[in-house]
Amino acid sequence: MAFLRPTTWPEALAAKAELPGAVPIQGGTDVMVEINFDVRRPEALLDLTRVAELARWSETGGRLRVGAGVPYSRVIGELGDRLPGLAQASRTVGSPQIRNRGTVGGNLGAASPAGDSHPPLLAGGAVIEVESAARGVRMIPAEEFYLGVKRSALEPDELIRAFHAEPATGPQYFSKVGTRNAMVIAVCSFALALHPAERRVGTGIGSAAPTPLRARAAEEFLAAELDWAAGLAPAGLAPGVLARFGELVSEAAAPIDDVRGTAGYRRHALAVMARRTLTWAWNDYRKAREQCA
Amino acid sequence: MTSTDTRTSQGIGQSAPRPDGTLKVTGEFAYSSDLWLEDMVWGVTLRSPHPAARIRSIDLGPALAMPGVLAVLTHEDVPGEKHHGLELRDQPVLAVDRVRYQGEPVALVAADHPERARRAAAAIVVDYEVTEAVTDARRAAFDPACPKVGERGNILRHQPVRVGSVFEAPVVVTGEYEVGMQDQAFLGPESGLAVPAEDGGVDLYVATQWLHVDRDQIAPCLGLPAEKVRVSLAGVGGAFGAREDLSMQVHACLLALRTGRPVKMVYNREESFFGHVHRHPAWMRYEHGATRDGRLIYVKAEILLDGGAYCSSSPAVVGNAASLGAGPYEVGNVEIDAYGVYTNNPPCGAMRGFGAVQACFAYESQMDRLAEACGLSPVELRIRNAVSQGSRLITGQLIDSPAPLAGMLAELEAFPLPAASDGDLRELPGGVAQTTHGEGVRRGVGYGVGIKNICFSEGFDDYSTARVRLELAGGEPHVLVHTAAAEVGQGLVTVQAQVARTELGVERVTVAPADTTVGSAGSSSASRQSYVTGGAVKTACEAVRERLAELAAAHPGLTTTALLQRFGPVEETREYRHRPTFPMDPSTGQGDSHTQLALCVHRAVVDVDVELGLVKVVELAAVQDVGKVLNLLALEGQIHGGSAQGLGLALMEEVLVADGRLRNPSFTDYLIPTILDMPPMKVSILENPDPAAPYGLRGAGEPPTLSTTPAVVAAVRAATGRALSRVPIRPEHIALT
């Protein structure tokens, strides 16, 4: 197995063009596990840890660009205020050691339906920046990135360079069910983001379909039901709104029975998480409105 | 009561530090997988992908043709006995003409690189004719039309217990219970190094639990006399029963003898799940009858244990489930039938608690049902039926040493309850995965009681051997203790040194590495090593002391140092046996089958998210009677660890098997508790000595594993109102039923 170690982005793209079978590796928290368990035998590993720019993030013109090599621990520590949903999801990944190594870029590359980054990226409307030596940059909305179980829109000669997202303008929550209280792969997960400026709702469902996905009907229902202007109203959300939102999220999923849980439980848990995250988000929104008033 | 000896600073009763502790925490400890010789080669195992199949043919040609391959072996290359086993030699070294479980070893490869060995193994062509797999234990046991898994019938032991004849009562509760297959999940997967010797024998360095029983199975398979197979203990991560059976021992020796090179074999975690026995899954039907004021009249039970494809230690597991099947309660009428059966599921055998764990979950669940039916608190009902010294077990055996169960329960109940959660996500069900900010969370409290036999039972000649040598080193007295007892993480090396310091009053003690150049120490199992090897070291020290006293009497005025200077080292070897035990009557189960019994009681406090079915254990409290504390730090570690393993069985640990196939052979999907799952513990340790045991001690490693599981489940039932008759509890059992 060849081990390629480019130090610049053009070198990395050239290497990938020359050897499309090379598997990119950042923290190795996913790739190395698969190699150690003999799940895959790539012809080459393309180590991206020497490409320094991938470990940087920047904010320009009100948009964040986060390099594919920024580890979860830095997402939590440096971007927690701007990307709270993703930071909450990052906090549920593995152990502290894993969070020091693992990256959002790696999570995207693996494109597992259970990846913890995906629901908040979907809910937050993130866009993935990918690039090839031959065709240059493509900007792929998160929603179009996931094509199947561990299959993404990435072409064999492309690498993930960064993801782009707007800093949160409203409350964001991530919630994940696992069968132990830490270091667990999602049985199912849910992310919610309120975008008050556009009076829009973002959602992301994890581990409950062949790909991570948005609950579009739920988003539209909620965006229409929420009284965005009158967040100051004394009552919270009508129970009917909560229940219907939960149902719509649950209906958006296409879960299966597997070793981690049953389809029925996943649908049930998604509805519960949808109701709870919405309650928290709406309470935050109202509080923020009260403080502004 | 034996008094604590304070002549030395690190003797019995002191929290002497363990030599391996810092090394393990800092990652410097040398495990068996770290063994290395310059000229060694690597062995790997080809395993069956099928739970049941005939082997039509095996083509080794493609493997032999690969570069770097030194040997490829099948059953035809096993020079001696083709089978091994702990109780019955029914397990092939390598499959002969059939495979009986997924993962059964079929062929071996030695090559100059582990990757080459793996590729060669993958190149072996085995022509299987897949046959019907027997995977339903009930069908295997009771359906006469069911195919036979092995050469014998499918019931490998049926042990009844019959007492009295009154099976009617004013209050009757029934229940069916199920225990999933638990894995020992030890650190350091199976590994070792076999080195061919000039005398035609072999030296094996391996992580195991019982060197001599390994040797006694290895040597016949190799066609060698026992003395030509020398086994030394390599660094063990943990065992919990999973290293009682052979794994790679014979395989590595076969390859070493064939190639003339040292052969190293190391399983990875996935192979480890196929490479050792698990805890027997169990299906249990119970009926308890009692008076209206909650006094037991009778217990009826059927306990069905799936032993999988080979015998392993299943018969002894069945014996425990039967003899302890009603728990530590006085009951005059008993009809228990415990069965161990063969199936084409993974072989099951020893795991901490050994048959007593499964029954404990069922009888404790029943005691809670009975308490509810009688309108009593769970603690009060248990106190009304608790055994004490002078009671008889359902086998008729007299409990002839302290068994203060009622007092233990009262003490446990009086522990203050923990405060409500302060809302920190880490304190809530789901942790930082943020499934709740408090919504749906209900608190529950539950109790569990367990009784475990200590040491081997049912007439087994259970002994240990110790060689103790008092000598001068650098002009100062020094003690060398040598036994074959396996340190598997429980702290036995430390305890052996503590015994020697106390008995000989010498500070400087070295415990020699365990190997087969000294007599058998028996297994590091059944919570028995402090008792039996501790007893052997104590007895050998006493013999050294006597010799020294004789010398001193003959040469008055000479100090110990002077005597050792003049007459040289004093060395004595002694065997130590506990009181004999006897078989259970095959039709009534009666007999003094155990030598010592140990009690532990647990209270669990849980917060359950009843909508999502997620559980946070808030606190575990335990009271355990250990007779005598030898090393408080190590003992507390045993109680914490045993409790964590019991918590795991209650809430998450299960090897999932479907149609004879493992579905989760990795730590990604076989979950064990993390630090956010295992809560702080309150522990009270009692010291009511057993006069028959060294220092009055009572084995301590297993009892906490029993009582934790029912306590946690009872607490979850209290929080949710769900019946929860199966462990591990899964979220859907709470949220959807």
Side-chain angles (χ1 to χ4, degrees), chain A residues 39-132:
Chain A
V39 176
R40 65 201 292 189
R41 295 271 184 100
E43 56 180 306
L45 281 180
L46 180 57
D47 174 18
L48 297 174
T49 56
R50 292 184 167 192
V51 182
E53 68 156 82
L54 295 177
R56 298 193 195 111
W57 63 269
S58 58
E59 187 171 0
T60 39
R63 277 188 78 79
L64 287 163
R65 180 175 182 274
V66 182
V70 175
Y72 294 112
S73 56
R74 287 180 56 208
V75 172
I76 300 164
E78 300 169 23
L79 293 165
D81 54 343
R82 297 172 181 84
L83 300 173
L86 184 64
Q88 290 164 23
S90 301
R91 206 176 156 203
T92 75
V93 174
S95 60
Q97 296 90 331
I98 297 294
R99 294 194 288 275
N100 284 338
R101 297 281 312 175
T103 62
V104 176
N107 217 216
L108 285 165
S112 159
D116 293 319
S117 314
H118 311 316
L121 291 177
L122 286 165
V127 176
I128 321 300
E129 178 186 341
V130 306
E131 191 173 344
S132 62

Side-chain angles (χ1 to χ4, degrees), chain A residues 34-238:
Chain A
E34 295 209 327
I35 290 174
N36 284 336
F37 276 92
D38 212 7
V39 176
R40 65 201 292 189
R41 295 271 184 100
E43 56 180 306
L45 281 180
L46 180 57
D47 174 18
L48 297 174
T49 56
R50 292 184 167 192
V51 182
E53 68 156 82
L54 295 177
R56 298 193 195 111
W57 63 269
S58 58
E59 187 171 0
T60 39
R63 277 188 78 79
L64 287 163
R65 180 175 182 274
V66 182
V70 175
Y72 294 112
S73 56
R74 287 180 56 208
V75 172
I76 300 164
E78 300 169 23
L79 293 165
D81 54 343
R82 297 172 181 84
L83 300 173
L86 184 64
Q88 290 164 23
S90 301
R91 206 176 156 203
T92 75
V93 174
S95 60
Q97 296 90 331
I98 297 294
R99 294 194 288 275
N100 284 338
R101 297 281 312 175
T103 62
V104 176
N107 217 216
L108 285 165
S112 159
D116 293 319
S117 314
H118 311 316
L121 291 177
L122 286 165
V127 176
I128 321 300
E129 178 186 341
V130 306
E131 191 173 344
S132 62
R135 297 178 309 286
V137 171
R138 283 202 296 153
M139 299 295 283
I140 309 175
E143 194 183 7
E144 294 164 25
F145 187 77
Y146 312 106
L147 299 184
V149 176
K150 299 198 171 187
R151 217 154 46 72
S152 72
L154 205 61
E155 295 295 335
D157 62 345
E158 284 178 327
L159 291 171
I160 300 166
R161 191 169 192 177
F163 69 90
H164 300 246
E166 275 176 28
T169 55
Q172 297 186 353
Y173 278 99
F174 174 79
S175 181
K176 165 172 126 180
V177 169
T179 34
R180 73 178 166 196
N181 290 312
M183 287 176 53
V184 68
I185 291 186
V187 171
C188 56
S189 60
F190 181 71
L192 175 71
L194 299 186
H195 304 284
E198 305 135 60
R199 299 197 168 184
R200 195 168 61 73
V201 173
T203 60
I205 293 172
S207 227
T211 66
L213 65 139
R214 282 168 65 181
R216 277 187 167 275
E219 292 176 2
E220 284 158 20
F221 163 78
L222 192 59
E225 285 290 329
L226 290 179
D227 187 359
W228 295 95
L232 285 173
L237 289 158

Side-chain angles (χ1 to χ4, degrees), chain B residues 308-623:
Chain B
Y310 295 106
C311 178
S312 180
S313 50
S314 286
V317 169
V318 171
N320 275 6
S323 62
L324 304 172
Y329 302 113
E330 293 197 329
V331 54
N333 303 281
V334 178
E335 189 182 303
I336 289 178
D337 291 282
Y339 301 89
V341 300
Y342 284 115
T343 65
N344 292 113
N345 289 320
C348 288
M351 181 173 174
R352 196 177 198 169
F354 203 79
V357 162
Q358 294 90 331
C360 182
F361 170 61
Y363 66 66
E364 285 300 277
S365 298
Q366 283 287 99
M367 294 306 272
D368 285 339
R369 283 191 187 184
L370 194 56
E372 196 183 348
C374 295
L376 294 170
S377 78
V379 169
E380 178 56 30
L381 180 94
R382 286 170 170 83
I383 287 175
R384 285 188 188 185
N385 293 288
V387 295
S388 58
Q389 186 166 4
S391 301
R392 288 190 183 274
L393 294 176
I394 60 174
T395 55
Q397 180 166 6
L398 180 73
I399 299 178
D400 63 356
S401 70
L405 178 56
M408 291 164 73
L409 279 162
E411 183 179 352
L412 182 69
E413 194 177 28
F415 279 140
L417 284 162
S421 149
D422 64 5
D424 183 320
L425 283 182
R426 289 169 298 181
E427 304 302 320
L428 287 168
V432 300
Q434 188 172 236
T435 41
T436 181
H437 289 172
E439 301 91 334
V441 177
R442 310 268 183 279
R443 179 154 290 191
V445 179
Y447 291 85
V449 168
I451 182 167
K452 178 67 184 53
N453 55 320
I454 304 301
C455 303
F456 282 23
S457 294
E458 298 191 71
F460 192 88
D461 180 22
D462 193 20
Y463 70 97
S464 179
T465 315
R467 183 180 298 153
V468 172
R469 179 186 171 98
L470 177 61
E471 62 198 351
L472 291 179
E476 298 282 326
H478 170 264
V479 179
L480 181 68
V481 178
H482 189 189
T483 73
E487 168 68 65
V488 296
Q490 81 278 44
L492 183 64
V493 164
T494 314
V495 163
Q496 291 181 69
Q498 287 179 267
V499 170
R501 287 192 197 102
T502 291
E503 295 304 322
L504 295 173
V506 172
E507 287 286 345
R508 294 195 305 154
V509 178
T510 301
V511 178
D515 58 35
T516 49
T517 63
V518 63
S520 175
S523 185
S524 290
S525 306
S527 310
R528 66 180 279 288
Q529 285 293 25
S530 289
Y531 191 133
V532 187
T533 293
V537 174
K538 181 171 186 281
T539 308
C541 287
E542 287 162 357
V544 167
R545 229 165 47 208
E546 271 172 42
R547 278 269 307 282
L548 211 57
E550 286 163 19
L551 286 173
H555 305 278
L558 288 187
T559 63
T560 297
T561 304
L563 287 169
L564 291 171
Q565 230 152 22
R566 184 182 299 187
F567 298 103
V570 177
E571 179 181 294
E572 292 293 338
T573 301
R574 289 291 182 278
E575 283 181 359
Y576 178 85
R577 282 174 167 74
H578 58 69
R579 292 187 300 173
T581 60
F582 301 91
M584 296 173 77
D585 182 279
S587 54
T588 66
Q590 299 302 291
D592 292 347
S593 61
H594 302 308
T595 198
Q596 189 185 58
L597 296 152
L599 294 167
C600 185
V601 298
H602 268 87
R603 184 184 74 192
V605 180
V606 303
D607 281 342
V608 183
D609 181 335
V610 298
E611 274 190 283
L612 287 175
L614 303 180
V615 178
K616 169 76 180 180
V617 181
V618 175
E619 185 194 87
L620 288 172
V623 182

